[in-house]
Amino acid sequence: MDKPVCIIDTDSDGKLRVQQSALEVLEQIQQPVVVVAVVGLYRTGKSYLMNRLAGKQTGFALGSTIESKTKCIWMWCVPHPAKAGNTLVLLDTEGLGDVDKGDPKHDTNIFCLAVLLSSTLVYNSRGTIDNKAVMELQYVTELTKCIKVKSSDENADNSSEFVKFFPSFIWAVRDFTLELKINGKDVTEDEYLESALKLKQGRNVMEYNSPRECIQKYFPSRNCFTFPFPTTPENISRLESLDSADISSKFLKVTDNFCKFVFHDSSVKRLKDGYPVTGRGLGHLAKTYVDTINSGSVPCLENAVIAMAMIENEAAVKESLQVYQSEMEKLKDSFPLELKDVSSEHTHLNIMATQAFMKRSFRDTDGKYLKSLDEQIIKLFHGYLRQNEQASKKHCEKILSSLSAPVMKKLKQGFYAKPGGYDLFCKHLEGIRKKYKSQANKEVKAKEVLEEFLKQRSVDSKAILQVDKKLTEKEKKIKKEKRKAALLKQEAKAKEEKQRQLEEKMEAERQSNEERMRQMKEKMDEEMRLQRKEAECAMDRKLREQADLLEKGFKEKADLMRQENEEFKRQSAEAETNRAKEFAATIENANRRHEEEMAMMMQQQDIEQMMAMWQRGTRQMIVCCIS
């Protein structure tokens, strides 16, 4: 994108809405996204910081009056400067605390959306991090009311799980002119932030759900940056108009370090269980969260993931089918082909389609969508097999028609109705058979079409045999038995060919299933790894928080935290066990479906053979009746 676009604004009724143009931009981004959102009071220069992160001097609107310039949320997608294969998505939010806003919930909604959509949240403020500055972050205390992790228990407090998916937190302090000293000792910016957030005994800040406690609890990964040079909006125009030599080198160094830190330490946006979000997925999340807020409900991470999984999995099936079908359509132009060529291409494309599905799908825990893909591909495969057989049959019949034309002409003229005519007719048929075999031997329907042709000619040969006065009755009987034997032999060859073709089809399906199972296991192992890693990281943060409380003398809170951590660990282990059981059941069901499909293929072959026998018996009865 060469400039930002609005992703979320408000309609005439004051309700939030997602801009379709922004969704179309995100739809094209199939890479994982690193989402950096900036929040803070209005007129504090948030847009300027975001422009620097985009590597531009201009882009996000900069105001020069006391009115807030940015409305709702604007988006700018650029290639990630430090992480190849990722896209950096910058979200500039409307300033908080604007007195001109009519809806008191609007700021809370904007803040919650920034938290829900970002992987790094930058809180921008001016001056110092004092009690007033901390209390201005009152929106943090609303998060437990405005965001739910699970939908199963409406009244449950899921705030302990926020640490799993909340973004990392950066406090950017603008116009900071104080020395970084505490009790006369030099401290780092991060230490300054921790000191400002430090819980103190006997103060109101010890109250549950205070801004200080919420920041510590929900954002264990946090850093601070101070900007000594005046960067309030009224000074930005002066800053940009100066020559580079006149610009404070210290400010530029801090800003440059800030950008480098964000680029290096900001991670890919992930869903619960660690699944990476693409631009397309970010668009789904934005739409789901905004629709939920507009309905008056509380955005729920679990519901958002379920909704996104349904959309993505349906799209994954459609996309994978397109991969398979588009290439098979190209192959169809070459029909008729040998069965092994069609089966080989089917196996190859089935693997490609499954890979495409695995790449896009997620949380298909019961294998519902993979089953749908498998069934539709098999249906398409059988359709292509029928089309190849039809093309083969047509081609074989054309060859036989051309080869037998002279014989059929003589037959109509009564050429064989003479002594010795039967042997001559049989000789000519054998010549047709040999030439046909050399031309159509590799055709799928070669033996079947020849069998049908010889059956048709057997009626002619029987009539010729009856009028051939050169042969004695005994010789005619012998010839007749030989003809029957030849027909039975050809019938057996056709049956063997069908059996061989069935085995080829089953082998192709077996190979496809083996590869599908391998890819499924690989996908599930990766999802389990992400889930385990997410739980371990969250546990590590909670243990650090517990240790910090103990170190600062909050033993009672540390004990409560220890109990909470034990429960969290138990739930994580239970979730991992349940997920493993789901995966095992999915693979078992997929294997069972494969076995059922193989049984159906064999059953279909038996039915076709029984039908063929019935048709032969019917024809023989008709011939006998005519005779």
Side-chain angles (χ1 to χ4, degrees):
M1 298 172 60
D2 55 358
K3 61 181 180 180
V5 298
C6 180
I7 180 172
I8 298 174
D9 67 354
T10 54
D11 58 20
S12 57
D13 295 331
K15 286 191 173 183
L16 296 170
R17 64 180 177 185
V18 181
Q19 288 290 327
Q20 185 61 34
S21 57
L23 292 179
E24 290 171 358
V25 171
L26 291 172
E27 179 68 26
Q28 304 304 313
I29 302 174
Q30 299 183 22
Q31 294 179 331
V33 291
V34 176
V35 188
V36 180
V38 62
V39 295
L41 298 180
Y42 77 110
R43 307 305 300 122
T44 54
K46 300 185 302 298
S47 299
Y48 179 78
L49 265 188
M50 299 304 274
N51 286 338
R52 292 301 302 270
L53 286 172
K56 305 290 184 181
Q57 290 296 323
T58 59
F60 288 111
L62 304 177
S64 57
T65 68
I66 60 172
E67 295 178 340
S68 176
K69 189 71 176 178
T70 302
K71 299 299 181 184
C72 287
I73 301 179
W74 284 66
M75 174 186 76
W76 200 348
C77 304
V78 296
H80 199 290
K83 298 178 180 178
N86 292 337
T87 295
L88 178 64
V89 179
L90 302 172
L91 300 179
D92 188 17
T93 67
E94 181 174 350
L96 307 174
D98 190 344
V99 293
D100 292 332
K101 297 173 187 173
D103 184 0
K105 293 183 179 179
H106 184 77
D107 282 355
T108 300
N109 289 337
I110 294 295
F111 187 86
C112 287
L113 284 170
V115 170
L116 287 166
L117 296 176
S118 66
S119 53
T120 293
L121 183 71
V122 179
Y123 179 68
N124 193 71
S125 70
R126 292 166 55 185
T128 59
I129 306 179
D130 53 16
N131 191 57
K132 178 177 179 295
V134 174
M135 295 310 292
E136 284 175 344
L137 253 175
Q138 57 181 314
Y139 308 99
V140 180
T141 65
E142 300 292 316
L143 291 177
T144 55
K145 302 176 184 177
C146 300
I147 299 174
K148 290 193 303 181
V149 178
K150 298 178 181 179
S151 61
S152 54
D153 191 345
E154 294 290 332
N155 299 317
D157 179 13
N158 302 133
S159 59
S160 62
E161 293 196 43
F162 284 2
V163 67
K164 280 187 177 182
F165 65 91
F166 266 30
S168 58
F169 182 85
I170 298 176
W171 194 319
V173 188
R174 315 290 285 276
D175 306 345
F176 185 83
T177 57
L178 302 178
E179 290 186 85
L180 285 171
K181 290 180 180 291
I182 298 177
N183 297 326
K185 180 181 177 183
D186 291 337
V187 294
T188 65
E189 291 160 299
D190 290 347
E191 289 171 336
Y192 168 63
L193 172 62
E194 293 307 312
S195 175
L197 296 177
K198 185 176 181 180
L199 300 175
K200 299 177 182 179
Q201 299 281 6
R203 294 278 302 274
N204 287 335
V205 294
M206 274 297 294
E207 294 176 1
Y208 180 73
N209 218 29
S210 69
R212 274 188 173 85
E213 186 171 22
C214 287
I215 293 172
Q216 289 191 339
K217 185 174 183 179
Y218 304 152
F219 302 100
S221 175
R222 52 187 180 264
N223 297 89
C224 178
F225 276 87
T226 59
F227 296 81
F229 192 89
T231 58
T232 51
E234 56 267 26
N235 289 315
I236 289 175
S237 58
R238 181 170 70 85
L239 176 68
E240 293 178 340
S241 65
L242 295 175
D243 294 335
S244 58
D246 298 322
I247 298 177
S248 170
S249 60
K250 186 175 182 180
F251 167 73
L252 288 179
K253 183 178 180 181
V254 171
T255 306
D256 186 51
N257 287 341
F258 169 79
C259 291
K260 287 180 179 178
F261 177 83
V262 171
F263 296 151
H264 183 268
D265 280 39
S266 294
S267 59
V268 167
K269 171 68 178 173
R270 294 183 183 276
L271 298 174
K272 188 172 177 289
D273 296 334
Y275 187 84
V277 176
T278 63
R280 183 174 53 225
L282 185 65
H284 294 326
L285 290 177
K287 185 74 167 59
T288 300
Y289 290 138
V290 167
D291 288 347
T292 303
I293 290 173
N294 286 337
S295 71
S297 301
V298 176
C300 173
L301 181 69
E302 184 178 62
N303 289 345
V305 172
I306 291 172
M308 182 175 162
M310 183 183 71
I311 293 171
E312 284 296 284
N313 287 334
E314 287 177 350
V317 171
K318 184 177 179 181
E319 185 179 284
S320 303
L321 279 175
Q322 182 62 29
V323 168
Y324 179 85
Q325 195 167 9
S326 61
E327 292 302 315
M328 286 298 282
E329 284 294 315
K330 294 177 184 177
L331 184 71
K332 191 172 76 171
D333 294 336
S334 303
F335 285 176
L337 293 170
E338 290 186 64
L339 177 61
K340 66 178 182 180
D341 294 331
V342 182
S343 297
S344 176
E345 187 66 5
H346 158 72
T347 301
H348 170 65
L349 294 178
N350 197 1
I351 291 170
M352 286 181 58
T354 305
Q355 287 173 340
F357 175 83
M358 294 298 181
K359 184 177 180 181
R360 183 163 183 175
S361 69
F362 75 101
R363 290 187 67 85
D364 184 21
T365 49
D366 58 357
K368 169 186 172 183
Y369 294 96
L370 183 60
K371 176 185 177 183
S372 174
L373 173 64
D374 186 30
E375 289 174 346
Q376 291 185 67
I377 284 181
I378 289 175
K379 185 177 179 180
L380 285 172
F381 176 48
H382 290 172
Y384 285 117
L385 287 177
R386 285 193 297 271
Q387 292 178 63
N388 187 55
E389 288 172 356
Q390 290 166 3
S392 176
K393 183 178 181 180
K394 188 175 180 180
H395 182 58
C396 291
E397 288 174 344
K398 186 178 179 180
I399 293 173
L400 272 176
S401 178
S402 175
L403 292 175
S404 64
V407 174
M408 296 307 295
K409 184 178 179 181
K410 290 178 180 180
L411 184 63
K412 287 180 180 180
Q413 293 173 347
F415 177 78
Y416 300 105
K418 60 182 181 181
Y422 179 79
D423 286 339
L424 185 60
F425 182 67
C426 289
K427 180 181 178 182
H428 289 170
L429 284 183
E430 180 61 19
I432 292 171
R433 191 189 67 79
K434 287 182 178 179
K435 289 179 181 179
Y436 172 80
K437 185 177 180 181
S438 65
Q439 294 182 35
N441 187 45
K442 294 184 178 180
E443 291 289 342
V444 175
K445 289 290 185 176
K447 291 182 173 62
E448 188 176 320
V449 170
L450 179 60
E451 179 193 4
E452 187 62 29
F453 173 78
L454 293 176
K455 284 177 182 177
Q456 293 171 359
R457 301 289 71 81
S458 69
V459 177
D460 300 323
S461 63
K462 185 176 181 180
I464 295 171
L465 181 61
Q466 292 297 327
V467 300
D468 193 338
K469 296 180 179 180
K470 183 181 178 180
L471 299 172
T472 65
E473 288 302 317
K474 184 178 180 180
E475 287 174 330
K476 287 181 180 180
K477 189 176 181 180
I478 293 172
K479 296 284 185 182
K480 187 177 180 180
E481 292 301 322
K482 283 185 177 181
R483 185 181 73 249
K484 284 184 178 180
L487 287 174
L488 287 172
K489 184 178 180 181
Q490 185 59 41
E491 185 180 316
K493 286 182 178 179
K495 189 182 293 185
E496 288 173 2
E497 178 62 17
K498 280 194 172 184
Q499 183 63 31
R500 186 190 66 80
Q501 291 177 9
L502 174 64
E503 290 172 359
E504 276 194 27
K505 293 176 190 176
M506 293 179 68
E507 176 61 19
E509 289 304 316
R510 186 192 64 78
Q511 291 179 12
S512 295
N513 186 65
E514 280 186 359
E515 178 60 23
R516 187 161 51 248
M517 291 301 100
R518 187 193 68 77
Q519 291 186 37
M520 280 180 64
K521 188 176 184 306
E522 190 176 276
K523 172 88 170 179
M524 292 171 177
D525 286 346
E526 175 63 12
E527 289 188 2
M528 286 289 291
R529 186 189 68 80
L530 290 173
Q531 180 178 340
R532 192 177 299 114
K533 181 180 178 181
E534 178 195 62
E536 289 172 352
C537 289
M539 191 71 236
D540 182 59
R541 292 169 187 169
K542 285 177 170 291
L543 289 173
R544 288 203 305 270
E545 184 182 348
Q546 179 187 340
D548 188 53
L549 288 169
L550 273 175
E551 183 183 342
K552 293 171 182 175
F554 297 99
K555 185 177 184 306
E556 185 178 344
K557 290 186 71 66
D559 288 341
L560 289 174
M561 188 71 190
R562 177 183 56 77
Q563 295 174 19
E564 182 182 297
N565 290 346
E566 288 175 356
E567 177 61 18
F568 179 83
K569 188 175 181 180
R570 185 194 66 77
Q571 291 178 357
S572 296
E574 183 180 345
E576 184 173 336
T577 300
N578 291 337
R579 198 73 183 275
K581 289 180 180 177
E582 287 177 348
F583 288 161
T586 300
I587 290 178
E588 182 181 349
N589 290 336
N591 277 319
R592 186 184 302 115
R593 287 198 307 273
H594 170 69
E595 291 172 0
E596 289 172 354
E597 177 64 25
M598 294 301 98
M600 283 181 64
M601 289 175 70
M602 295 180 69
Q603 186 178 13
Q604 183 63 31
Q605 181 85 331
D606 292 340
I607 291 172
E608 289 176 359
Q609 289 177 358
M610 288 176 66
M611 287 295 294
M613 289 173 64
W614 179 82
Q615 289 171 355
R616 282 196 299 272
T618 304
R619 282 197 298 268
Q620 288 171 0
M621 286 175 64
I622 292 172
V623 171
C624 289
C625 289
I626 293 172
S627 301

